Amino acid sequence: MTTPDTWRKSSYSGGGQGDACVEVADLDARIAVRDSKAPARATLTFPAPAFATFIATLKSPTA
């Protein structure tokens, strides 16, 4: 698997260092997710459509 070069952090990552958050990166047809406090540790990957559904569900008013 390819390691992402560009990670994005949520604008809701909190104050201070802004490291209390997860980071995401695009990998062709997958989305990579890692803990911003421990970026060298394990990275999870998900199929892009499944991750999009997950995010849409979180944003829905009934979530």
Side-chain angles (χ1 to χ4, degrees):
M1 180 171 106
T2 305
T3 302
D5 293 325
T6 306
W7 291 91
R8 298 184 314 276
K9 225 183 273 192
S10 169
S11 60
Y12 296 100
S13 61
Q17 299 285 329
D19 60 355
C21 190
V22 296
E23 297 173 316
V24 297
D26 296 320
L27 291 171
D28 295 326
R30 300 185 71 76
I31 302 295
V33 180
R34 72 179 182 183
D35 183 348
S36 62
K37 294 182 300 298
R41 294 185 72 187
T43 299
L44 302 174
T45 63
F46 303 92
F51 192 75
T53 300
F54 172 69
I55 296 299
T57 301
L58 290 177
K59 290 180 177 182
S60 74
T62 59

